[in-house]
Amino acid sequence: MTETTHPSRRTVVTALGAAAVVALPAWPETARAADGASGAAANGPVLDTHPATEPSGTHVREVGGTHVVFQYGTVLPAFDGWRTHERTRDYLSLDKRWRFRFDPEDRGLDEGWQSPRHDDRSWGRIDVPAAWDLLDTPGFGSETAPFGRGTAFDDGYAWYRTTVDVPASWRARHVRIAFLAAGYSAEVWLDGKHLGKHEGANSPFALPVAGALRPGTRQTIAVRVFRRASYTDYTSTTPQPVTDDHELPYKPVDYWPYAGLTRSAWIEAVPQVTVAKLLVSAANGRLEAHAVVENHGPTGFDGRLTLDPGRGSGGRPVVVAARIAARSAGVVRVSVPIPHAPLWSPASPHTLTARATLTAGRTPGPQVDTLSTVYGVRELTVADAQLRLNGEPLFLKGLNWHEETAAHGRAMTPAEYDRELGQVTAVGANFIRNCVYNRHPFVYDWADEHGVLVMDDIDTMWLNTAQEKLQTERYGLARALALTMAWNQHNHPSVILWGLQNESEIDADGAPVYRAWLADLKAAVKTVDLTARPVTWASNTSNDPAFDLADVVGFNEYFGYFYGKDADLGPTLDAVHAKYPDKPILITENGTWAIAGTHGPSTTQGTEEWQAASFTAHWAQVSARSEFVAGFTYWVLKDYKERAGYNQAYNGISVMGLVTFADERPKLVHDAFRKAVNPRDK
């Protein structure tokens, strides 16, 4: 390994010949809560507090030539513990019934609800994972139920508490509490000690518990979750939006902001010397692996790392030295021939499993830690206005979709994921856009296994120039979300595009700010991604002043619905291609609406016939230009919940889907989409 030679403002620890290492970044021994006090206008909704920069301390540092993402003073770890338990690690599931209490007046912190001594016996109960929206909201999935009633409209703070029996054997372990999601933000305490705060409703995070853990005892975990109100009054005929410039999104948007601990949580105890992350890139008959190893112990580690490329790869395990100084993180890089590994593609979604194993000593010694990852061999390129997979041009027959059901909101069960995502393949789609937030890890695993291509997105929706400037120059939450997206989804062969934003503001004076913001987000994902996936975004215009920065030109279009005529799409595509002749174009959204069961002429808005005819017209214009259009992404798979009252919302249900929200009944457009022939299949 090449040693790090560049000085920096952080201490650089000299490698011992096997891996360049850096000292773990400083993190407060006692993490403090956000600066300032909660605030709101008189009698108005409570707003959350914010530190000077986003609270997780997310940043990238170069370690031996590899860019590593750090959060909360440690490497951002792999989150496979929700489904895969490594034999060298201990896991304690937090998926169970917790004590729960709303805190609308924000009294809990002052009254010590985070303390293990607080008496919570009078509190209610809630499942983890679950969205508190579904705790008590009759008719949540109905189009006719009254809007604005139930826990779906309880905003501000709410508290979760539970106890855990910490094994005595964890005294010599590095322990972290992992959450796959907490909406919108969460602060966590262990026995009254504040571990940290996370912001961003749909990205996982892991908090180290050093200094708070007392192995061999029963300890109390307290979590304070916050959701900003969308409006001051949900039942008003002229609702007034509630905004916060620091949050993403900063204002009400047209999807439901589900609240609570909406995905799995667990405690993970790993060895003091541990493989925190395994980054892999597989192409051209080789597997390039970057094992990020942390040493949380007081002495240096001198051992070996074995990289097994997995059964079916044709490769053999390779053993290299692994030397990591005390209190440091290092990267051990391994290159392994995989001569028999099959290619991954939608038609043949072959996956393999690589495993990194740490052993102590210069000779094969005791096993210290293991970490595995699933990967696929595929090559993604952009050339001559085409997006190509393994050298073959792609046409993406795609669907936008929201991660929710009427029964569980965003806390979906595996059976619900299988059913929802099964509808994608049932209509012949080969592509999903994860609009406009990261999904549960189940989704990426499912896409890998089923050969469905993915555009991943973050929560950067509908920002204005002021928010773009704030995020780029000071707060950094958008950058943190982009970094964690690329880091967490890095090894998935199904993920082929990084989406940077959705329909954010571009005014004449703000174009330089907008460009700088997108350049910052693009640099973040490109820094992390070893495979150099293309970047794009869902612009609200076909005349975006930053399209030169995109690898794939992406824009939303609603010709014939919000503006213009259906027939305007073709000429618009031709004009964009003329301006950017070397870039593929992707329609990231298009759709209309129909109330299920409403029939009539195809020229009458709101009928199923109109919705189907509009899709057919747009599809014909896109598919006829497949030599430079990389695909079309319909809005949307299923009717969805929103708090913003437009796009024909009934009890907050927008009726733009191929199928209905609660009973998932197909509309005519479902059949039209299914029959649409991918031009690459002709």
Side-chain angles (χ1 to χ4, degrees):
M1 287 300 303
T2 302
E3 295 184 3
T4 297
T5 57
H6 304 291
S8 73
R9 62 187 177 87
R10 299 182 178 88
T11 302
V12 177
V13 181
T14 303
L16 301 178
V21 296
V22 298
L24 292 173
W27 191 253
E29 175 64 20
T30 302
R32 57 187 175 84
D35 295 336
S38 298
N43 301 316
V46 171
L47 298 179
D48 198 12
T49 58
H50 300 279
T53 57
E54 63 87 17
S56 68
T58 304
H59 67 280
V60 173
R61 291 194 291 169
E62 184 178 325
V63 185
T66 300
H67 292 97
V68 177
V69 178
F70 289 81
Q71 243 183 31
Y72 305 108
T74 62
V75 174
L76 182 63
F79 288 94
D80 296 330
W82 73 276
R83 61 163 172 79
T84 302
H85 289 183
E86 299 290 347
R87 58 183 177 271
T88 54
R89 304 179 179 191
D90 299 313
Y91 301 84
L92 187 59
S93 176
L94 298 176
D95 289 359
K96 58 180 180 176
R97 298 278 278 175
W98 291 48
R99 296 282 187 179
F100 179 79
R101 183 176 177 180
F102 287 113
D103 185 15
E105 298 175 358
D106 189 20
R107 297 186 293 112
L109 196 58
D110 291 338
E111 295 181 2
W113 294 6
Q114 72 276 22
S115 170
R117 295 179 296 277
H118 182 73
D119 186 354
D120 59 14
R121 288 176 295 179
S122 65
W123 290 26
R125 301 274 190 173
I126 194 170
D127 288 330
V128 172
W132 83 49
D133 306 79
L134 277 299
L135 192 62
D136 184 16
T137 306
F140 183 77
S142 166
E143 293 181 9
T144 58
F147 187 77
R149 300 179 187 175
T151 56
F153 302 91
D154 282 337
D155 301 310
Y157 293 104
W159 287 75
Y160 293 72
R161 286 170 57 94
T162 193
T163 59
V164 292
D165 292 321
V166 181
S169 60
W170 287 10
R171 286 190 175 91
R173 311 284 269 175
H174 173 67
V175 181
R176 54 193 175 226
I177 304 180
F179 297 87
L180 287 183
Y184 164 77
S185 64
E187 294 186 75
V188 183
W189 290 261
L190 181 61
D191 268 3
K193 180 172 181 177
H194 189 267
L195 301 181
K197 179 177 180 177
H198 178 76
E199 187 174 351
N202 303 288
S203 58
F205 60 104
L207 294 163
V209 301
L213 193 72
R214 292 186 292 111
T217 68
R218 176 168 293 180
Q219 295 194 259
T220 299
I221 301 172
V223 184
R224 184 175 75 153
V225 178
F226 176 82
R227 173 173 64 185
R228 187 187 78 249
S230 299
Y231 297 95
T232 56
D233 182 351
Y234 292 102
T235 61
S236 171
T237 54
T238 56
Q240 298 302 305
V242 178
T243 65
D244 182 336
D245 285 353
H246 292 77
E247 291 193 6
L248 293 174
Y250 84 97
K251 66 179 181 178
V253 292
D254 65 340
Y255 63 89
W256 197 273
Y258 289 98
L261 301 180
T262 54
R263 298 179 189 151
S264 289
W266 67 94
I267 305 177
E268 186 170 357
V270 303
Q272 286 192 330
V273 182
T274 180
V275 184
K277 182 74 175 181
L278 184 59
L279 297 173
V280 298
S281 173
N284 301 317
R286 296 196 75 84
L287 174 66
E288 304 292 336
H290 297 225
V292 185
V293 181
E294 285 184 315
N295 182 356
H296 293 276
T299 60
F301 176 81
D302 188 355
R304 296 185 172 205
L305 184 137
T306 301
L307 195 286
D308 186 342
R311 182 180 300 175
S313 67
R316 295 182 177 181
V318 172
V319 182
V320 297
R323 298 168 181 165
I324 311 296
R327 314 292 188 195
S328 299
V331 174
V332 182
R333 294 173 60 174
V334 188
S335 181
V336 185
I338 47 174
H340 302 144
L343 289 176
W344 185 96
S345 70
S348 300
H350 297 290
T351 59
L352 302 161
T353 300
R355 178 178 295 277
T357 302
L358 276 178
T359 52
R362 296 292 187 91
T363 58
Q367 191 174 98
V368 176
D369 194 28
T370 66
L371 183 64
S372 62
T373 189
V374 174
Y375 70 98
V377 182
R378 59 111 172 97
E379 185 178 8
L380 191 67
T381 56
V382 174
D384 301 324
Q386 292 182 337
L387 181 62
R388 295 173 181 170
L389 182 67
N390 302 327
E392 297 296 322
L394 286 170
F395 189 88
L396 305 174
K397 180 183 179 182
L399 290 165
N400 289 273
W401 75 291
H402 276 301
E403 184 182 47
E404 63 179 347
T405 64
H408 297 103
R410 195 151 294 146
M412 291 171 59
T413 67
E416 287 176 324
Y417 279 114
D418 281 332
R419 186 183 73 246
E420 297 274 308
L421 294 169
Q423 296 188 62
V424 173
T425 54
V427 294
N430 64 358
F431 174 66
I432 53 176
R433 175 183 168 221
N434 287 341
C435 58
V436 283
Y437 47 86
N438 293 172
R439 298 312 197 257
H440 190 292
F442 184 102
V443 174
Y444 307 98
D445 292 343
W446 180 94
D448 291 344
E449 295 165 6
H450 290 80
V452 173
L453 303 165
V454 175
M455 172 179 166
D456 214 18
D457 269 17
I458 53 177
D459 310 63
T460 44
M461 179 172 178
W462 292 0
L463 274 71
N464 64 28
T465 300
Q467 278 84 51
E468 294 160 8
K469 184 178 179 67
L470 173 67
Q471 291 297 330
T472 306
E473 297 182 359
R474 184 166 68 83
Y475 200 57
L477 178 58
R479 184 186 309 112
L481 294 176
L483 286 170
T484 57
M485 170 180 68
W487 184 257
N488 292 330
Q489 275 72 263
H490 183 280
N491 296 345
H492 291 283
S494 59
V495 178
I496 63 166
L497 290 167
W498 302 126
L500 302 184
Q501 68 92 7
N502 182 82
E503 296 184 347
S504 291
E505 181 178 293
I506 318 163
D507 57 40
D509 295 332
V513 172
Y514 175 76
R515 286 180 57 86
W517 176 54
L518 286 174
D520 185 51
L521 297 182
K522 177 180 178 178
V525 297
K526 292 288 189 178
T527 295
V528 169
D529 188 2
L530 302 176
T531 68
R533 290 173 178 86
V535 302
T536 187
W537 57 85
S539 182
N540 60 7
T541 175
S542 60
N543 192 32
D544 190 303
F547 274 158
D548 60 298
L549 301 176
D551 299 311
V552 174
V553 170
F555 61 90
N556 300 345
E557 59 88 5
Y558 288 93
F559 288 114
Y561 176 18
F562 287 128
Y563 45 76
K565 305 183 299 296
D566 289 332
D568 292 337
L569 175 58
T572 299
L573 290 169
D574 294 338
V576 175
H577 176 56
K579 191 171 184 179
Y580 303 100
D582 297 326
K583 294 182 184 287
I585 300 170
L586 174 65
I587 299 301
T588 42
E589 286 181 27
N590 165 259
T592 53
W593 61 280
I595 304 170
T598 301
H599 295 282
S602 61
T603 55
T604 301
Q605 286 200 3
T607 64
E608 291 193 32
E609 286 78 4
W610 174 66
Q611 186 185 30
S614 176
F615 160 73
T616 301
H618 287 245
W619 178 264
Q621 295 171 82
V622 168
S623 60
R625 293 166 171 80
S626 61
E627 70 274 13
F628 61 85
V629 177
F632 173 96
T633 322
Y634 188 72
W635 185 271
V636 60
L637 170 62
K638 188 178 77 171
D639 293 350
Y640 59 98
K641 289 284 287 192
E642 58 171 323
R643 284 174 154 186
Y646 68 99
N647 285 349
Q648 290 69 47
Y650 302 88
N651 183 29
I653 298 175
S654 176
V655 292
M656 299 183 72
L658 299 182
V659 301
T660 58
F661 179 62
D663 58 6
E664 302 183 6
R665 178 162 50 91
K667 306 176 194 177
L668 290 179
V669 69
H670 179 277
D671 197 44
F673 187 93
R674 181 181 59 81
K675 291 179 179 178
V677 177
N678 191 314
R680 297 296 177 193
D681 294 338
K682 292 180 180 178

